[in-house]
Amino acid sequence: MIPYARQSIDENDVAAVVEVLRSDFLTQGPVVPRFEERVASYCGAPNAVAMSNATSALHAAVRALGLQPGGLLWTSPISFVASANCGRYCGALVDFVDIDPRTYNMSVDALAGKLEVARSKGRLPDVVVIVDFAGQPCDLAAIAELRSEYGFRIVEDASHAVGAKYRGEPVGSGTFADVTVFSFHPVKIITTAEGGMALTNDDAVAERMRLLRSHGVTREQRLMSRERESWEYEQIDLGFNYRLTELQAALGIAQMDRIDEFIAQRRRIAQAYDEELRGLPVVIPHQSADSLSAYHLYPIQVRDEAPLDRRVLFERLRGEGIAANVHYMPIYMQPYYQALGFEPGYCPNAEAYYARALSLPMYASLTPVDQLRVTDALKRSIRV
Ligand SMILES: *Cc1c(COP(=O)(O)O)cnc(C)c1O
C-alpha cells in the first residue's frame, strides 16, 4: 500500500535519539530548549514552547490568551477536530466560519460578515483559530486587520504548515498571529513521533504557556507569591503535563536539518501532480500568489462531471494499493458537535468540498515511481 503520508527517518535521526538515551536526561534536560531555539530561529520567532503534541499546544495557547469558561472560539470546519476541541477544553463555546472554496482555508469574507453580525449581537469571539489547510497559509494580513477592528486573538493552527511562507516570511514569525502552533505527528512535515510547538512574539503569553505545560509550577522567585527556600516551588496556576521528552526533541533537531529538503521534495511532488492531473475532471490545489505552501496534503476534488464520484474513486484507488484519504469531514458534522446543536448545511462550502475531496499520497520520500503508480491508477480509474 502506498500510504497518504508517512515519516522520513534516516540514520542521523536514529543516532540523535540513541545519543539522548545514553545521556543523563530523558526529559527536562538541555535538548528540548535546543529544539525550541532551532525552530524559533528557523521561523524568526522570539519564543517557542515545545509541547507533547499540537493538541496540547493549542489548548495551552488558547488558555494563555485568556479563553475562559463561557468564552467563544471560532474556527474553520475543514480541519482536524483538535482545532475546535481546544475551545471545549476551556469550557468555551465553539462556532465555525465557512471556508473559501478556492483555498479551503477559512474565508476572510465569511469571517468579516460573521464578525459584523456578532458585534451587532454583542457576542464577539475571544479567539479565532485559523488553519493553514494542507500547508497553505491563510490570508494572515487580512485576518489581522479584522483583529484590530474586532479585538479577538488569533491562534494559527499551522500543524500542516511548518516550513511554509506567507509574503516571504516563514509561518510562525509572529508578525500576524498571536500564537502559531505546529504538529510533529509522523504524517506532518517533520516529526518527533508525538510533538508540537507554540510560537509567539508575546513574552507574557510564552511564559503562561510554559507554566501550563508543566503543572502551573514555577521555581522562579519573581513569579512566586513570597520569598521561598531554594528547594521550594510554587504552583501558581492549574497546569498540565504537556512536556515533550528529550528523545523527541533530539529527533526534532535532526529532522530540522532536513526541513528545507522535505519542503522542496513536497513541492516537486505537488508540481508533478499538477502536471499529471491536467485535463482530468478534478480540481487541483490552488496556490495563492503571496504564499508558499508546505504541501502537507495534496487534496483534489472530483468534479461533478467526472464519470464516477469520489467514493468510487477512493475504493478503486484502494483496490490498486493506493491509500488515498479524505481531509476532513466538517468538524461540526462529528456526532460530538452535532449533539451541541450544529445541523447539516451549516457551512455549505465546507460540505461541498468534503463531498468531493480526496487527498493523494504526499510525503517527502514518495518516489517518482510510486507517484507514477498513483497518477496512472487515478487516470485509469477516473476514465472508466
Ligand atoms: C495533526 C493536527 C492537529 C493535532 O496534532 P497532534 O500533534 O496530533 O496533536 C491539530 N490540527 C491540525 C490541523 C492537524 O492536522
Side-chain angles (χ1 to χ4, degrees):
M1 264 299 180
I2 299 178
Y4 89 89
R6 62 159 292 137
Q7 69 277 14
S8 168
I9 299 292
D10 70 7
E11 287 310 312
N12 287 331
D13 294 324
V14 174
V17 174
V18 170
E19 190 184 328
V20 169
L21 265 175
R22 297 203 166 103
S23 76
D24 291 335
F25 296 97
L26 301 186
T27 187
Q28 295 177 284
V31 185
V32 166
R34 282 219 301 273
F35 181 38
E36 290 174 336
E37 278 158 30
R38 184 67 186 275
V39 177
S41 78
Y42 182 81
C43 297
N47 303 285
V49 185
M51 303 267 184
S52 50
N53 49 63
T55 305
S56 50
L58 286 166
H59 182 201
V62 296
R63 267 282 304 264
L65 291 173
L67 191 63
Q68 296 279 342
L72 184 56
L73 177 148
W74 288 1
T75 190
S76 172
I78 297 297
S79 185
F80 185 56
V81 292
S83 308
N85 289 348
C86 58
R88 301 296 298 156
Y89 297 157
C90 299
L93 296 173
V94 168
D95 201 353
F96 300 90
V97 183
D98 206 353
I99 60 164
D100 179 323
R102 230 167 30 131
T103 64
Y104 316 141
N105 284 333
M106 181 186 285
S107 156
V108 175
D109 289 342
L111 176 62
K114 197 173 168 80
L115 284 165
E116 204 178 305
V117 173
R119 179 156 64 191
S120 73
K121 291 184 176 161
R123 190 72 169 104
L124 284 166
D126 303 288
V127 176
V128 176
V129 177
I130 56 173
V131 182
D132 299 331
F133 179 73
Q136 174 144 260
C138 294
D139 190 350
L140 291 156
I143 294 165
E145 232 167 83
L146 291 170
R147 170 182 56 193
S148 354
E149 195 178 338
Y150 293 96
F152 54 86
R153 310 300 295 271
I154 301 172
V155 171
E156 180 185 13
D157 182 347
S159 291
H160 299 182
V162 61
K165 288 198 170 118
Y166 175 76
R167 296 193 177 173
E169 266 187 67
V171 162
S173 70
T175 307
F176 298 103
D178 293 291
V179 179
T180 297
V181 169
F182 294 139
S183 171
F184 308 130
H185 183 279
V187 298
K188 307 290 166 68
I189 308 292
I190 65 163
T191 190
T192 61
E194 296 282 355
M197 202 172 283
L199 282 67
T200 181
N201 278 0
D202 187 326
D203 297 346
V205 169
E207 185 165 276
R208 281 201 289 280
M209 292 195 295
R210 285 183 198 284
L211 268 173
L212 291 167
R213 172 173 69 179
S214 213
H215 309 281
V217 160
T218 185
R219 289 181 180 274
E220 283 190 55
Q221 189 56 60
R222 75 191 161 84
L223 296 175
M224 293 193 193
S225 61
R226 60 183 173 84
E227 195 73 31
R228 290 285 180 181
E229 301 293 349
S230 57
W231 65 84
E232 285 182 315
Y233 55 80
E234 278 192 0
Q235 185 195 341
I236 59 174
D237 194 356
L238 182 62
F240 308 90
N241 182 347
Y242 280 171
R243 292 189 298 258
L244 192 75
T245 67
E246 294 283 284
L247 304 167
Q248 293 168 305
L251 179 54
I253 292 169
Q255 291 263 299
M256 283 301 288
D257 289 343
R258 290 192 288 154
I259 187 169
D260 290 332
E261 183 194 321
F262 287 161
I263 301 285
Q265 280 160 339
R266 285 172 179 276
R267 295 185 60 78
R268 207 154 43 235
I269 291 163
Q271 208 172 12
Y273 274 140
D274 287 353
E275 282 161 22
E276 286 292 323
L277 303 188
R278 198 167 292 143
L280 294 181
V282 299
V283 182
I284 64 171
H286 170 80
Q287 170 64 66
S288 301
D290 60 356
S291 70
L292 207 128
S293 175
Y295 280 108
H296 162 54
L297 300 173
Y298 189 88
I300 61 169
Q301 288 186 80
V302 182
R303 287 188 194 276
D304 291 346
E305 62 267 28
L308 77 187
D309 66 12
R310 187 269 314 273
R311 194 177 54 78
V312 177
L313 181 58
F314 180 93
E315 297 302 342
R316 284 199 183 152
L317 289 176
R318 282 270 156 141
E320 300 232 20
I322 291 148
N325 211 319
V326 175
H327 300 89
Y328 298 90
M329 181 198 290
I331 296 173
Y332 64 82
M333 300 287 281
Q334 298 288 350
Y336 172 82
Y337 284 94
Q338 295 275 291
L340 293 175
F342 290 98
E343 306 261 352
Y346 191 62
C347 295
N349 293 342
E351 291 183 29
Y353 165 75
Y354 172 60
R356 295 163 180 80
L358 193 70
S359 299
L360 299 182
M362 169 56 90
Y363 47 92
S365 58
L366 179 66
T367 63
V369 170
D370 279 352
Q371 191 177 8
L372 265 182
R373 265 184 65 199
V374 175
T375 48
D376 284 349
L378 185 75
K379 287 174 188 171
R380 262 198 316 277
S381 304
I382 210 162
R383 284 194 179 126
V384 178

